[in-house]
Amino acid sequence: MLDIKITRTTSPKAKPEGPLGFGRIFTDHMFIMDYTKGKGWHDPRIVSYQDLVLSPAAMVFHYGQEMFEGLKAYKGDDGKSYLFRPDMNGKRTNDTNKRLCIPELPVDDFVQAVKAVVKEDEDWIPTEPGTSLYVRPFIIATEPFLGVDVSETFMFIIILSPSGAYYEEGLAPVGIWIEDDYVRAVRGGMGFAKTGGNYAASLAAQVKAHDDGYSQVLWLDGVERKYIEEVGAMNIFFKIDGTVVTPMLSGSILPGITRDSVLTLCREWGIPTEERKISVEELLEAQKNGKLEEVFGTGTAAVISPVGKLRYKDEVMTISGGEIGPLSQKIYDTVTGIQLGKIEDKHGWRVEVK
Ligand code: PLP
Ligand code: COI
């Protein structure tokens, strides 16, 4: 149990009015905790949202030793605040930390810290449809040293951002570019970890896709460039001839919490599901035979995002006539319904912030 010291801001900001967008507005407070080798994690505190002072030699700037997480807080009709499966983010933090030689953090401390800072700024949780308070925990290596090594000091920080839809399209289907040149990650690399380097590696392809009018990139495996991996900020699902198929967790994709929730729901609804390798050829073939029924992405920021168009080299596949499919809609309604407390939460996924 952390003993969190709270120093409230003396100059609270005005709450935003109008469309929120994603990730550009920040609340009044943030959580910070330091790590020092030999001492462990120490000095957990909530302070006013502020800039950081770091040495220009801090290792995070040079070799990217850092991790981040993403989850959301929602306001229920009962006026209470809720998180969605925050323990899963805590567990994934430690999986990432192990890969990046960042000291682990007890899951209970992670969840306690998230709850504490959300509680402090719970009046910032937006309530317009499609909005929530996006929670961004992250850890950075702060030791000033230019050698390539494991930092001896770190900071764990949590910031909060009232946000709307991640994509400008909202729930309207997005166009996705299947990248056949650049790769994001390979097995044995750090694709399963939530660390900035994976996203830095994705930018060149994303710029190319944007220039061509596509929202995001769908990655292929790094070895054969044949099998589907995941999208820039979400996992990907296909409904092929009645079966819901998603790439298996092979070490090079992020084990999404929304992905896990969607698989659980589909199984409970009696829909056949498969976690396996899916080649682009299989998709093209299914599309030709009229069996590629729906495609959607899943993620905390992206929620459930229907895909209306998939481009691979010179081929452009239009999915569900460019509309949201019935299963994607049902999954969207159920996941957001559970998150907002409008649908019974049989799994204990919804966690009250108190
Ligand atoms: N894949 C990538 C690369 C992501 O950035 C995300 C977002 O967090 C996801 C998948 C979906 O993960 P989750 O559902 O846990 O948000
Ligand atoms: C999230 O969905 O929480 C993410 O971290 C994706 C991010 C790239 C916006």
Side-chain angles (χ1 to χ4, degrees):
M1 185 87 177
L2 300 173
D3 184 13
I4 303 174
K5 187 170 169 253
I6 300 178
T7 310
R8 298 208 164 91
T9 182
T10 49
S11 45
K13 294 180 275 201
K15 304 285 187 303
E17 282 170 21
L20 293 169
F22 178 85
R24 294 196 185 274
I25 301 163
F26 302 97
T27 65
D28 282 328
H29 296 94
M30 62 203 259
F31 172 90
I32 309 185
M33 179 159 69
D34 299 306
Y35 177 91
T36 311
K37 192 177 174 188
K39 189 171 174 189
W41 290 106
H42 60 92
D43 290 310
R45 57 203 184 273
I46 288 173
V47 295
S48 59
Y49 183 89
Q50 58 194 268
D51 292 344
L52 301 174
V53 177
L54 290 177
S55 162
M59 290 165 93
V60 64
F61 296 135
H62 305 276
Y63 311 119
Q65 196 186 13
E66 75 94 43
M67 65 77 56
F68 73 95
E69 266 301 328
L71 64 162
K72 282 175 170 175
Y74 312 84
K75 189 61 88 184
D77 286 341
D78 55 7
K80 293 177 183 161
S81 309
Y82 294 89
L83 299 165
F84 186 71
R85 310 186 76 183
D87 54 310
M88 295 282 281
N89 297 92
K91 288 189 195 117
R92 192 168 62 189
T93 292
N94 284 334
D95 292 339
T96 299
N97 288 7
K98 276 183 220 149
R99 181 65 181 83
L100 281 130
C101 301
I102 295 172
E104 289 179 48
L105 198 63
V107 172
D108 288 348
D109 289 356
F110 175 95
V111 174
Q112 185 196 345
V114 169
K115 283 182 176 173
V117 68
V118 169
K119 187 79 196 159
E120 202 49 46
D121 280 347
E122 66 180 337
D123 56 346
W124 281 82
I125 302 176
T127 52
E128 289 293 304
T131 65
S132 56
L133 185 67
Y134 185 75
V135 181
R136 171 54 60 88
F138 62 103
I139 301 175
I140 51 174
T142 53
E143 188 188 345
F145 176 45
L146 296 184
V148 176
D149 207 343
V150 175
S151 178
E152 298 201 343
T153 57
F154 295 87
M155 277 171 113
F156 172 42
I157 301 172
I158 306 172
I159 55 175
L160 308 171
S161 174
S163 293
Y166 184 68
Y167 297 116
E168 280 169 18
E169 293 89 335
L171 192 56
V174 293
I176 302 265
W177 168 287
I178 304 180
E179 174 60 37
D180 56 320
D181 183 12
Y182 295 111
V183 297
R184 172 185 179 271
V186 288
R187 220 160 305 143
M190 51 186 199
F192 68 89
K194 213 156 161 57
T195 184
N198 285 330
Y199 298 79
S202 77
L203 294 175
Q206 184 173 304
V207 168
K208 208 166 63 168
H210 279 179
D211 287 349
D212 241 58
Y214 288 82
S215 298
Q216 283 228 6
V217 170
L218 176 58
W219 297 101
L220 296 178
D221 76 278
V223 181
E224 297 178 73
R225 299 189 200 183
K226 186 172 162 191
Y227 297 102
I228 305 288
E229 296 255 292
E230 64 177 332
V231 183
M234 54 190 194
N235 295 112
I236 189 91
F237 283 75
F238 305 93
K239 183 162 170 258
I240 305 174
D241 201 15
T243 298
V244 168
V245 191
T246 193
M248 63 199 187
L249 300 178
S250 55
S252 54
I253 67 171
L254 195 77
I257 295 162
T258 324
R259 175 188 181 279
D260 180 83
S261 311
V262 167
L263 283 171
T264 303
L265 290 170
C266 286
R267 283 173 189 143
E268 286 171 4
W269 293 337
I271 299 172
T273 60
E274 290 173 2
E275 294 175 73
R276 61 167 171 86
K277 282 186 168 181
I278 309 158
S279 65
V280 193
E281 272 69 39
E282 179 184 346
L283 287 186
L284 292 167
E285 193 61 25
Q287 164 77 357
K288 246 178 242 146
N289 300 333
K291 296 194 166 164
L292 184 58
E293 293 158 3
E294 295 187 37
V295 182
F296 57 92
T298 65
T300 298
V303 197
I304 307 296
S305 280
V307 175
K309 199 167 69 166
L310 273 175
R311 166 268 173 204
Y312 178 64
K313 297 189 173 158
D314 294 332
E315 305 237 19
V316 177
M317 300 177 247
T318 303
I319 321 291
S320 309
E323 303 289 322
I324 180 166
L327 180 65
S328 313
Q329 183 72 57
K330 180 174 172 180
I331 293 173
Y332 176 86
D333 291 343
T334 309
V335 170
T336 56
I338 295 171
Q339 288 167 339
L340 295 169
K342 313 240 181 250
I343 291 182
E344 191 197 345
D345 172 26
K346 290 188 232 153
H347 309 90
W349 287 343
R350 201 163 173 251
V351 175
E352 190 187 334
V353 175
K354 51 181 177 193

